[in-house]
Amino acid sequence: MFVFLLRRLLQACIVMLIISLLSFVIQGNLGDPVRQMVGQSVTSEEVEKIRQEQGLNDSFFQQYGRYIKNALHGDFGESYFYKEPAFHVIMAKLPATIELTLAAIILTIVIAIPCGVFTAIRPKNLASHGIMFFSTIGLSTPIFITAILLLYVFSALLQWTPSFGRGETVSIMGLWESGFFSLDGLYHLILPSISLSFILAPLFIRLIRSEMLEIMESEYIKYAKAKGLSSARVYFIHALKNIMLPIITIGGIQIGNIIAYTILTETVFQWPGMGSLFIDSINRVDTPVISAYLMVVGVIFVFTNTLVDLVYGLFNPTVKLAVKDV
Amino acid sequence: MSYPVREITFSISPRRWKHIWAGFLSDKLAVLAFSIFVFYCLIAMAAPLIAPFDPYDTALIDLLNAEIAPSWISGDERFLLGTDAQGRDLLSAIVYGTRTSLSIGLLAVLMQASIGICLGLISGYFGGLLDTLLMRCADIQLSFSNILIAIVLLAAIQSIFGLAYYQDHAMIMLVFILGLAEWPIFARTVRASVLAEKQKEYVDAAYLMGISQIRIIFKHILPNTISPLFVIFTIQIANVIVAEAALSFLGLGMPISQPSLGSLISIGFDYLFSGIWWISVVPCAVLMLLILVINLLGDVLKNHLNPRHYKD
Amino acid sequence: MALLEVKNLNVSFGAKHNAVPVLFDISFILHRRERIAIVGESGAGKSTLGFALVNLLSKPGHIHSGTVKLDGTNLTTLTSPQMQKIRGKRIAMIFQDPMVTLNPVITIGKQMVEAIRAHTSINRHDAKKIVLEKLAQVQIPAPDIRFDQYPHELSGGMRQRVIIATALLLTPDIIIADEPTTALDVTIQAEILELLKSMCEENNVALILITHDLGVVSRVAERTMVMYAGRIVEEGPTLEIINDPQHPYTQGLLNALPQMTLAGHKLNQIPGSMPSLSDRPNGCAFHPRCQYAIEKCQIKQPNYIYSGISTVACHVLEDMISETSSSDSAFLNDGKDVL
């Protein structure tokens, strides 16, 4: 377990190193920061002086080291657009993205588990064919197309749902702006979260189905039935508990995808989260925000991956044995 | 948007190709999917001949023709699928957009495949530290999604080179970035096949006969890994097209002057709420069908090429 | 009244129009506290019979006709919730390979407690008490530690003890043990068998032991049924069958035991192998491998006759008996009534 964690930690460090280098390069290279600061009227000697003061003539490593040091303090410089520290701009948008993702994940679980289990235990049922058909479509439809079509039908044509934004939010102790606790907020959450789960759910339905089909043939499922357990207990406790491991593994691989999907979904629904902020910042060439976003997403990525590993260990009683032969 | 691809190794004899082909022809869905795909390819190749207008020629665009609905609604025979906000014929734009999307898809996957196959062969054949290093890289890269990697790299490139320079070279950049984004899938599959093949006696025999290692790899090992690669190749085309469309939708991909299907959707999206739905909805449908068809083909290939499925 | 009465049980695999029959006219009786064995080579349909009794046949398999009566209730016509109440509570099962029988991600204790709670309203705390008691009964050291362990932390023999304990939790009427020692080390096979036997005796449980090993049978079962290609070919008291096997197949099985071979000689094998389900020979399914086979054997399925030692289905034997005691027809009828 220790070696396993160590290797994970090393991997996390490499990931963070690459991301930080990238965001450092982006921040450092965009245009001439001094010219941006002082305008065109200043002489080149003065510019050189400022460069020296700002440490822009230092070696790459010195500059990078300084960047990391500042980044660790949450200092990525001031956003050109918002005139606020970039880190604060990002953090203000974080709750919106996390709530959207959370809602989509919950929706995905609620849809995928019953559908996956059902298609596995009743493969010839008409509803199973229907579910499999929809999951093929869902898996083949790019998320932004789903989002656009949903938006067009339910907001533009039927006008049932709001078309953009997060609606009314409730502040929780001044730290977190939540849309979960107001009807309007939930109302705004419907379409974006459906869009996200429309692509995530089919993946898990297929996964749960194929794993279930395999496990249903196993001796311990037959034994559970021979003990006289109810079907619900056999399928949802005995079988499902065993397929948690592949589900967690695949779920872990999806983290990168989910981050990308939130960028797309947020852009379509103008959801005021980090993703749409990132795209806007690219268009506005707001480098401090871009670089801060990359670092924050990197940390989230590494953190959730580690979390997934821990959950995996939690669900796998043999993890101590299994790690040896990894 | 990406299919989980299992690493499968199996080789195919000429006799089995016949069976596979026969099985494929008896599968109606497969034939339908294949025909539609061929149709798309033909349209893409013959775009200049088919398209009623040249969407790149600004002289042909007349603002007076802007926002005309598809002909079955507006009755305007000139523009079958209507026009966009600039008065550009949507049908022509879609035909050219399909051409752009398919080309990027094909080229990028070719690049993925060549990088992936080479690194996979090297990694599997030589093993050791190099193998560990390459596979660690592959692991890390696979844990991100291709779109996320592409978004980040494009953001970096755009900020480093500037928007104007980027837009001039958008297609090459996209092919390059998307080509880099998913080589590990190919590499892992090839590596697994090589490891399996390496154990077989003919490789030892070839080596003892003094055949060079490079020759052993390309002449003897690679042909045996063809069929799983074939499946991945197909599915990756869909994945890359989706990724490109997503990037273009975000404004990071093909510029509006040279639209792919994704950029068309992006342009049309701004008009979605003003009743001019066709500019984005029609390209959406075209793209959806294309992806669906390629994914279906991938599934069909997987089923027919895999000897385990082949039995029944 | 008999505890379990199986009559003309036919099991087939596959859909109706191209169903392949697997079990033919299986009939037998099991009394309370009785221990019987079903013996045969692999593929004879022993395990299928075991699962058919509790209506747990794997998918294409289904009961085609016949009855399985437990205390007079026909189990084949029960709905699945009704059948669920029988499984585990009145008929418990022990599977072949303890390494794969227990769910790997659920603790031993939970898997046992849930078996109790599925059939009774005993609360968790009391259920745990019962579980610990039974674990101690099957001689598992430190039951309270084992209770919270996962299956992979236990050896094969320990796991089979856990499974035996689970079977005994609700003191069922019958335990069906499907090759309970086959997957275990030879050294602990005898131990587990002895345990199984004594547990059944102590708890007044009837046992159906499914095995391919005649050596195992003699230790445990009072009565033995020999199966070949989906049919019972011989049935009678274990000791008598082992001392004087009647059916040529039973003779072959006994001769094949390693201890029946003289030192330095080759092991005695029955020539040929068990036919597959799809190409069962006509007549007596054993005739291609039978050294005594006569013409009749290829055409007609033999009826059951009582040989004086056991009930047998064999033309050769039938002819021999009718020659020696053709007058004693009442004796034969008596034999048929047993089945």
Side-chain angles (χ1 to χ4, degrees), chain C residues 122-142:
Chain C
I122 296 171
N123 67 34
R124 265 170 227 285
H125 183 74
D126 293 344
K128 183 174 176 176
K129 266 192 206 159
I130 301 176
V131 167
L132 292 178
E133 199 178 293
K134 291 288 175 191
L135 284 176
Q137 247 185 56
V138 296
Q139 293 144 32
I140 286 183

Side-chain angles (χ1 to χ4, degrees), chain A residues 11 15 22 25 30 140-141 143-145 148 151-152 163 199 206 256-257 260-261 267-268 278-279 282 294 301, chain B residues 1 136 140 143-145 148 151-152 155 159 245-246 249-250 252 265 269 272-273 277 284 287 291-292 295:
Chain A
Q11 199 157 321
V15 170
L22 202 68
V25 169
L30 205 103
S140 280
T141 312
I143 185 164
F144 63 99
I145 291 194
I148 290 172
L151 192 65
Y152 177 63
S163 56
I199 188 137
R206 281 172 159 237
N257 267 333
Y261 293 161
T267 308
V268 173
F278 177 59
I279 295 300
I282 292 175
L294 290 182
F301 182 81
Chain B
M1 271 177 235
R136 282 285 134 205
I140 293 176
S143 65
F144 288 95
S145 81
L148 191 60
I151 290 175
V152 171
S159 39
F249 176 75
L250 292 175
L252 297 170
I265 296 168
F269 180 62
L272 198 61
F273 281 88
W277 52 270
C284 272
L287 181 62
I291 302 304
L292 186 66
N295 277 339

Side-chain angles (χ1 to χ4, degrees), chain A residues 218-231 233 237-239 241-242 245 314-318 321, chain C residues 51 56 58 84 87-88 91 93 95 100-106 111-112 114-115 118-119 150 152 163 166:
Chain A
S218 71
E219 285 290 300
Y220 54 80
I221 291 301
K222 218 169 179 183
Y223 180 63
K225 286 182 186 167
K227 284 198 294 190
L229 304 183
S230 66
S231 308
R233 199 171 169 88
I237 307 274
H238 278 255
K241 216 167 173 189
N242 273 283
L245 294 180
L314 220 63
F315 270 94
N316 188 357
T318 59
L321 298 174
Chain C
F51 285 117
L56 263 185
S58 308
Q84 208 175 292
R87 281 183 216 128
I91 306 180
M93 290 190 81
F95 283 24
V100 296
T101 304
L102 292 169
N103 196 321
V105 297
I106 303 178
Q111 293 193 53
M112 292 181 76
E114 69 174 0
H119 297 285
Y150 286 94
H152 74 266
I163 292 164
T166 311

Side-chain angles (χ1 to χ4, degrees), chain A residues 187-236:
Chain A
Y187 196 44
H188 280 76
L189 199 59
I190 298 173
L191 279 192
S193 54
I194 288 181
S195 306
L196 263 175
S197 50
F198 199 79
I199 188 137
L200 291 174
L203 185 77
F204 287 97
I205 290 176
R206 281 172 159 237
L207 181 72
I208 292 172
R209 187 185 110 100
S210 64
E211 294 289 335
M212 272 296 259
L213 281 174
E214 209 166 288
I215 271 186
M216 303 276 280
E217 299 293 313
S218 71
E219 285 290 300
Y220 54 80
I221 291 301
K222 218 169 179 183
Y223 180 63
K225 286 182 186 167
K227 284 198 294 190
L229 304 183
S230 66
S231 308
R233 199 171 169 88
V234 172
Y235 297 134
F236 288 98

Side-chain angles (χ1 to χ4, degrees), chain A residues 39-114:
Chain A
Q40 298 296 330
S41 57
V42 188
T43 62
S44 50
E45 285 94 56
E46 278 170 309
V47 169
E48 188 55 37
K49 202 176 144 216
I50 296 171
R51 282 188 77 90
Q52 203 67 48
E53 275 170 17
Q54 296 282 317
L56 289 172
N57 291 339
D58 292 352
S59 76
F60 176 83
F61 288 106
Q62 277 173 314
Q63 289 192 48
Y64 177 64
R66 201 158 47 232
Y67 173 78
I68 293 294
K69 204 178 125 203
N70 290 338
L72 287 175
H73 291 103
D75 177 11
F76 294 91
E78 200 165 82
S79 158
Y80 304 147
F81 183 80
Y82 294 96
K83 309 288 176 210
E84 261 180 72
F87 187 65
H88 290 180
V89 174
I90 293 280
M91 291 321 264
K93 304 278 187 177
L94 186 67
T97 301
I98 288 186
E99 285 189 357
L100 172 61
T101 318
L102 213 61
I105 290 174
I106 292 169
L107 204 59
T108 303
I109 293 171
V110 169
I111 295 171
I113 290 180

